Amino acid sequence: MTLIAKPLKSAESCDGAAVKAGWAEAMAQLAELLHAKNVHPSRAVVLLPYAQLMQEARTAWAAHAQAQSQSSAFVPRFETTMNWASSVGFSGSPQDIQMDVAIDVLTAASLLQRAGLAAQQHVLAGRLVEAAWSLARCAAAQPPARRLAWGAAKAQDLAAGMAADALALELAVARIALAWAASSSYPTDALFAAELGDGLDLLVVIDGFQSEPLSEALKDHFADRAVSIPLITPKLQGALALHTAQDLEDEAHLAAACALAHLQAGRTPVALIAQDRVLIRRVRAMLAEKGVALRDETGWKLSTTRAAATLMGLVNALAWDASTDDVLDWLKNAPAFDA
């Protein structure tokens, strides 16, 4: 099945003016909060849900200050949790979850050995990493001093429904993953440090489309020094259409047909969500046959196909400072030299 968004009933509901109005309202509320609490902007941090919104927020604050004839007004710190934490600094343990598959797989194998599952470590290490990563976000949202207690409470619920012998390995992996997540330190732990709070008079959380566990935990941590401001965004006036496809090929045909229908009706641009790369490549090929130009924002590299990888190998080998390894790599893989 594939979800296709129907066109908006009114283009005015999502135009730039409506977005600017939402930012203007949020900045006005922020200015009122700073004034009401007698907080200097330099001692306030505004948490945004996405890093892409940081520049938009600064621009909106500058526009608000200009409208209020405050061209020299100080600017609050517009941050995301990760950006804010990186500015503070972090030093963890090598045994912590690193969110790097190459490192975490090695740690997972070590944990499995200690748990008496050395014989199954090659099969279970990848599963353990996936399970730990799925827990890391919730674990990182717990204050460091209460994280182990959180893990202990969650461990009591793990065995529910997994008592069968056939699920013994799954239960073991789940328990190890929870213990690993609960005992790890995370870069955002620095945001709970007492010294960070000494330089902060107000934490403002700009609410996104859904609540973020870490932001909610920080609001609880800073208590009366934390407030939320909703970012009012334009409401879409369209609807979703659900199409049932017989198989992947049929799904590709349906998606391409829907995109072409919107284009023929003059509704542009049309966005394709690339959840399945194989499927979206097929859709792209179908649209290309109809002369539709696409702007690829999925980050695919040319070298994802073998033929293109050979071409990229040649390009690397032709560089003026190409290493011997680059040249030999191309020579060994070039079809012309197979004989």
Side-chain angles (χ1 to χ4, degrees), residues 102-120:
I103 297 175
D104 286 343
V105 163
L106 296 176
T107 306
S110 174
L111 293 173
L112 289 167
Q113 287 179 5
R114 296 182 216 171
L117 297 172
Q120 295 88 7

Side-chain angles (χ1 to χ4, degrees), residues 248-267:
L248 287 178
E249 183 67 13
D250 190 31
E251 184 177 355
H253 278 283
L254 281 170
C258 289
L260 289 172
H262 287 309
L263 293 173
Q264 290 172 358
R267 295 184 288 266

Side-chain angles (χ1 to χ4, degrees), residues 133-151:
W133 284 9
S134 68
L135 293 167
R137 184 183 177 200
C138 292
Q142 309 304 316
R146 299 204 299 265
R147 189 168 296 142
L148 287 176
W150 168 84

Side-chain angles (χ1 to χ4, degrees), residues 3-272:
L3 286 174
I4 304 296
K6 289 184 177 180
L8 299 177
K9 295 179 181 177
S10 173
E12 294 179 356
S13 62
C14 63
D15 62 6
V19 173
K20 289 182 179 178
W23 276 114
E25 175 65 23
M27 294 302 104
Q29 292 185 45
L30 175 58
E32 290 177 6
L33 275 171
L34 294 173
H35 178 73
K37 293 181 176 292
N38 195 26
V39 174
H40 193 276
S42 64
R43 294 182 61 84
V45 171
V46 182
L47 282 184
L48 300 164
Y50 312 108
Q52 292 84 349
L53 297 181
M54 291 169 61
Q55 185 55 48
E56 288 193 32
R58 295 188 187 103
T59 302
W61 178 264
H64 173 79
Q66 184 176 11
Q68 301 296 320
S69 300
Q70 298 174 348
S71 57
S72 60
F74 285 87
V75 180
R77 290 185 59 182
F78 292 101
E79 305 277 12
T80 62
T81 51
M82 288 304 299
N83 190 67
W84 190 18
S86 64
S87 67
V88 178
F90 168 73
S91 58
S93 165
Q95 298 297 314
D96 293 338
I97 296 176
Q98 306 290 330
M99 303 306 291
D100 183 318
V101 65
I103 297 175
D104 286 343
V105 163
L106 296 176
T107 306
S110 174
L111 293 173
L112 289 167
Q113 287 179 5
R114 296 182 216 171
L117 297 172
Q120 295 88 7
Q121 66 178 14
H122 297 294
V123 177
L124 299 180
R127 299 182 186 180
L128 176 55
V129 170
E130 291 178 3
W133 284 9
S134 68
L135 293 167
R137 184 183 177 200
C138 292
Q142 309 304 316
R146 299 204 299 265
R147 189 168 296 142
L148 287 176
W150 168 84
K154 294 296 181 184
Q156 297 178 0
D157 303 328
L158 273 181
M162 299 182 70
D165 293 340
L167 299 177
L169 286 179
E170 283 78 359
L171 179 58
V173 168
R175 283 174 171 166
I176 297 171
L178 179 58
W180 188 12
S183 61
S184 289
S185 298
Y186 300 89
T188 51
D189 286 355
L191 303 183
F192 293 95
E195 54 269 22
L196 182 68
D198 293 340
L200 182 67
D201 290 340
L202 182 65
L203 175 68
V204 181
V205 177
I206 302 295
D207 292 329
F209 292 110
Q210 59 184 7
S211 61
E212 178 67 27
L214 180 56
S215 297
E216 295 299 315
L218 288 172
K219 285 196 294 184
D220 292 338
H221 176 70
F222 286 100
D224 57 347
R225 289 184 291 167
V227 294
S228 294
I229 292 179
L231 181 58
I232 302 174
T233 55
K235 294 183 178 179
L236 300 181
Q237 301 299 318
L240 293 177
L242 182 64
H243 300 272
T244 303
Q246 302 301 319
D247 49 35
L248 287 178
E249 183 67 13
D250 190 31
E251 184 177 355
H253 278 283
L254 281 170
C258 289
L260 289 172
H262 287 309
L263 293 173
Q264 290 172 358
R267 295 184 288 266
T268 58
V270 176
L272 297 173

